[in-house]
Amino acid sequence: MFKKFDESNVSGVTQLKSSVQKAIKNKIVDQFPNISDYIDEILPKKEAIKTLKCHEHIEVVIGPNGDHLFFRQRDGLYIPTLKLIQKYPFICPLMQVDKGAITFVLSGANIMCPGLTSKGAIMTPDLPVDSVVTVIAESKQHALSMGILKMSTNDIAKINRGIAIENVHFLNDGLWRLKAYK
Protein backbone atom coordinates (compact mmCIF):
# COMPACT_ATOMS: atom_id res chain seq x y z
CA MET A 1 0.00 0.00 0.00
CA PHE A 2 2.84 2.42 0.88
CA LYS A 3 5.69 0.81 -1.05
CA LYS A 4 6.00 3.69 -3.57
CA PHE A 5 4.26 6.31 -1.43
CA ASP A 6 5.73 9.83 -1.05
CA GLU A 7 4.72 13.47 -0.55
CA SER A 8 3.26 13.67 -4.07
CA ASN A 9 0.57 11.14 -3.09
CA VAL A 10 -0.90 13.52 -0.50
CA SER A 11 -3.75 15.54 -1.97
CA GLY A 12 -4.86 17.55 1.07
CA VAL A 13 -4.90 18.09 4.82
CA THR A 14 -8.16 18.60 6.70
CA GLN A 15 -8.66 19.67 10.30
CA LEU A 16 -11.46 17.62 11.84
CA LYS A 17 -14.48 18.93 13.73
CA SER A 18 -14.77 17.72 17.31
CA SER A 19 -17.76 15.51 16.44
CA VAL A 20 -15.75 13.76 13.70
CA GLN A 21 -12.79 13.38 16.07
CA LYS A 22 -15.05 11.75 18.65
CA ALA A 23 -16.48 9.36 16.04
CA ILE A 24 -12.99 8.33 14.94
CA LYS A 25 -11.89 7.79 18.55
CA ASN A 26 -14.96 5.63 19.20
CA LYS A 27 -14.32 3.51 16.09
CA ILE A 28 -10.68 3.03 17.10
CA VAL A 29 -11.60 2.00 20.66
CA ASP A 30 -14.25 -0.42 19.31
CA GLN A 31 -11.69 -1.93 16.96
CA PHE A 32 -8.81 -2.03 19.49
CA PRO A 33 -10.22 -2.46 23.04
CA ASN A 34 -6.69 -2.56 24.55
CA ILE A 35 -6.23 1.10 23.65
CA SER A 36 -9.20 2.46 25.63
CA ASP A 37 -7.10 3.59 28.64
CA TYR A 38 -4.66 5.44 26.36
CA ILE A 39 -6.91 6.93 23.67
CA ASP A 40 -7.04 10.38 25.31
CA GLU A 41 -3.25 10.37 25.49
CA ILE A 42 -2.96 9.43 21.80
CA LEU A 43 -5.79 11.66 20.52
CA PRO A 44 -6.32 14.39 23.18
CA LYS A 45 -9.81 15.89 23.42
CA LYS A 46 -8.88 19.59 23.28
CA GLU A 47 -6.22 19.27 20.55
CA ALA A 48 -6.61 19.66 16.78
CA ILE A 49 -6.58 16.38 14.90
CA LYS A 50 -6.15 16.33 11.12
CA THR A 51 -6.44 13.84 8.29
CA LEU A 52 -4.31 13.53 5.19
CA LYS A 53 -6.18 12.59 2.05
CA CYS A 54 -3.97 10.47 -0.17
CA HIS A 55 -4.07 8.49 -3.43
CA GLU A 56 -6.14 5.29 -3.64
CA HIS A 57 -8.64 6.66 -1.07
CA ILE A 58 -6.18 6.40 1.81
CA GLU A 59 -6.81 8.56 4.86
CA VAL A 60 -4.10 9.11 7.50
CA VAL A 61 -5.05 10.40 10.97
CA ILE A 62 -2.56 12.99 12.21
CA GLY A 63 -2.19 13.72 15.93
CA PRO A 64 -1.79 17.18 17.50
CA ASN A 65 2.02 17.08 17.27
CA GLY A 66 1.99 16.04 13.59
CA ASP A 67 2.58 12.32 14.09
CA HIS A 68 0.92 9.81 11.79
CA LEU A 69 -1.21 7.65 14.10
CA PHE A 70 -3.69 5.57 12.10
CA PHE A 71 -4.60 5.03 8.47
CA ARG A 72 -7.35 3.35 6.50
CA GLN A 73 -8.34 2.76 2.91
CA ARG A 74 -11.83 3.81 1.83
CA ASP A 75 -14.09 3.12 4.84
CA GLY A 76 -12.09 0.11 5.97
CA LEU A 77 -10.48 -0.71 9.27
CA TYR A 78 -8.24 1.76 11.04
CA ILE A 79 -4.67 0.45 11.18
CA PRO A 80 -2.12 1.88 13.62
CA THR A 81 1.16 3.08 12.14
CA LEU A 82 4.41 1.41 13.16
CA LYS A 83 5.53 4.57 14.97
CA LEU A 84 2.43 4.34 17.17
CA ILE A 85 2.94 0.59 17.65
CA GLN A 86 6.46 1.23 18.92
CA LYS A 87 4.99 3.40 21.70
CA TYR A 88 1.97 1.15 22.37
CA PRO A 89 2.93 -2.39 21.27
CA PHE A 90 -0.10 -4.00 22.95
CA ILE A 91 -2.68 -2.42 20.60
CA CYS A 92 -2.82 -5.32 18.09
CA PRO A 93 -2.31 -9.06 18.37
CA LEU A 94 1.23 -10.20 17.53
CA MET A 95 2.29 -12.61 14.84
CA GLN A 96 5.96 -13.62 14.85
CA VAL A 97 7.72 -14.70 11.66
CA ASP A 98 10.92 -16.75 11.51
CA LYS A 99 14.29 -15.13 10.73
CA GLY A 100 14.13 -16.19 7.08
CA ALA A 101 11.09 -14.00 6.42
CA ILE A 102 12.59 -10.71 7.67
CA THR A 103 14.11 -9.50 4.38
CA PHE A 104 10.93 -10.35 2.45
CA VAL A 105 8.67 -8.57 4.95
CA LEU A 106 10.90 -5.47 4.88
CA SER A 107 10.66 -5.36 1.09
CA GLY A 108 6.86 -5.30 1.28
CA ALA A 109 6.06 -8.95 0.57
CA ASN A 110 2.96 -10.54 2.04
CA ILE A 111 3.55 -13.06 4.84
CA MET A 112 3.06 -16.63 3.72
CA CYS A 113 1.69 -19.41 5.95
CA PRO A 114 5.00 -21.34 6.22
CA GLY A 115 6.62 -18.19 7.68
CA LEU A 116 4.14 -18.36 10.57
CA THR A 117 4.17 -22.13 11.16
CA SER A 118 7.92 -22.82 11.13
CA LYS A 119 10.14 -23.34 14.17
CA GLY A 120 10.87 -19.67 15.02
CA ALA A 121 7.35 -18.40 14.39
CA ILE A 122 4.55 -17.76 16.88
CA MET A 123 0.87 -17.02 16.17
CA THR A 124 -1.74 -15.46 18.43
CA PRO A 125 -4.40 -18.20 18.58
CA ASP A 126 -8.04 -17.95 17.43
CA LEU A 127 -7.86 -14.75 15.37
CA PRO A 128 -10.50 -14.37 12.65
CA VAL A 129 -10.00 -13.34 9.03
CA ASP A 130 -9.50 -9.56 8.51
CA SER A 131 -7.93 -9.00 11.95
CA VAL A 132 -5.32 -6.24 12.07
CA VAL A 133 -2.05 -7.69 13.37
CA THR A 134 1.46 -6.54 14.23
CA VAL A 135 4.21 -8.60 12.59
CA ILE A 136 7.37 -9.05 14.63
CA ALA A 137 10.40 -11.21 13.89
CA GLU A 138 12.14 -13.94 15.80
CA SER A 139 14.85 -12.42 18.09
CA LYS A 140 13.87 -8.80 17.21
CA GLN A 141 12.40 -6.30 19.66
CA HIS A 142 10.34 -3.94 17.46
CA ALA A 143 7.59 -4.56 14.92
CA LEU A 144 8.46 -5.09 11.24
CA SER A 145 5.07 -4.44 9.72
CA MET A 146 1.33 -4.10 10.11
CA GLY A 147 -0.93 -6.47 8.28
CA ILE A 148 -4.41 -7.86 7.79
CA LEU A 149 -5.08 -11.57 8.19
CA LYS A 150 -6.25 -13.24 4.99
CA MET A 151 -6.95 -16.54 6.82
CA SER A 152 -7.91 -17.28 10.40
CA THR A 153 -5.00 -18.44 12.54
CA ASN A 154 -6.64 -21.85 12.82
CA ASP A 155 -6.73 -22.13 9.00
CA ILE A 156 -3.12 -20.97 8.73
CA ALA A 157 -2.04 -23.82 11.00
CA LYS A 158 -4.20 -26.41 9.15
CA ILE A 159 -3.68 -25.41 5.50
CA ASN A 160 -0.09 -24.05 5.77
CA ARG A 161 -0.14 -22.76 2.16
CA GLY A 162 -0.76 -19.39 0.57
CA ILE A 163 -0.89 -15.82 1.86
CA ALA A 164 -1.58 -15.55 5.58
CA ILE A 165 -1.12 -11.80 6.15
CA GLU A 166 -1.41 -8.94 3.68
CA ASN A 167 1.50 -6.59 4.45
CA VAL A 168 0.03 -3.07 4.40
CA HIS A 169 2.71 -0.99 6.18
CA PHE A 170 6.33 -1.94 6.86
CA LEU A 171 9.50 -0.34 8.20
CA ASN A 172 11.03 2.25 5.87
CA ASP A 173 8.09 2.35 3.44
CA GLY A 174 6.60 5.63 2.21
CA LEU A 175 4.36 6.20 5.25
CA TRP A 176 7.28 5.50 7.61
CA ARG A 177 9.41 8.13 5.79
CA LEU A 178 6.60 10.71 5.43
CA LYS A 179 7.38 13.89 7.35
CA ALA A 180 5.20 15.02 10.25
CA TYR A 181 2.35 17.42 9.33
CA LYS A 182 1.82 20.24 11.79
Side-chain angles (χ1 to χ4, degrees):
M1 185 180 291
F2 295 105
K3 198 170 193 174
K4 296 180 182 178
F5 186 84
D6 61 19
E7 297 286 328
S8 67
N9 298 117
V10 177
S11 59
V13 181
T14 307
Q15 186 165 330
L16 301 175
K17 292 192 245 178
S18 59
S19 59
V20 176
Q21 290 180 27
K22 187 174 181 179
I24 289 173
K25 285 169 72 169
N26 289 338
K27 284 180 186 175
I28 290 170
V29 170
D30 288 346
Q31 193 178 331
F32 305 106
N34 295 343
I35 204 172
S36 61
D37 293 340
Y38 303 92
I39 194 69
D40 288 330
E41 189 177 309
I42 296 167
L43 295 169
K45 288 181 181 177
K46 301 286 183 187
E47 300 287 335
I49 296 170
K50 300 175 184 173
T51 58
L52 290 181
K53 300 290 184 188
C54 307
H55 76 298
E56 296 181 21
H57 304 278
I58 295 171
E59 175 182 273
V60 181
V61 177
I62 306 295
N65 54 356
D67 294 339
H68 313 104
L69 302 174
F70 296 90
F71 65 93
R72 71 178 179 166
Q73 190 168 23
R74 298 196 185 271
D75 289 327
L77 299 170
Y78 281 99
I79 301 171
T81 63
L82 285 168
K83 290 181 181 181
L84 183 65
I85 288 292
Q86 287 183 350
K87 293 178 188 171
Y88 303 94
F90 52 83
I91 294 175
C92 297
L94 297 177
M95 302 291 273
Q96 180 174 303
V97 296
D98 59 14
K99 288 181 184 179
I102 295 172
T103 55
F104 297 105
V105 173
L106 292 178
S107 65
N110 291 327
I111 293 89
M112 306 303 281
C113 290
L116 294 168
T117 57
S118 63
K119 186 180 177 197
I122 301 170
M123 286 193 292
T124 300
D126 302 321
L127 292 177
V129 174
D130 293 331
S131 295
V132 175
V133 295
T134 301
V135 179
I136 60 172
E138 176 183 14
S139 74
K140 300 293 180 194
Q141 183 178 359
H142 293 292
L144 295 177
S145 76
M146 297 302 298
I148 299 173
L149 281 179
K150 292 296 154 195
M151 296 181 177
S152 69
T153 51
N154 296 333
D155 286 346
I156 292 169
K158 277 186 229 164
I159 298 169
N160 201 19
R161 261 191 12 233
I163 297 172
I165 302 172
E166 178 187 356
N167 189 352
V168 293
H169 171 42
F170 55 94
L171 284 176
N172 212 23
D173 68 1
L175 181 59
W176 176 265
R177 292 188 315 265
L178 193 64
K179 70 177 177 63
Y181 273 81
K182 288 197 177 194

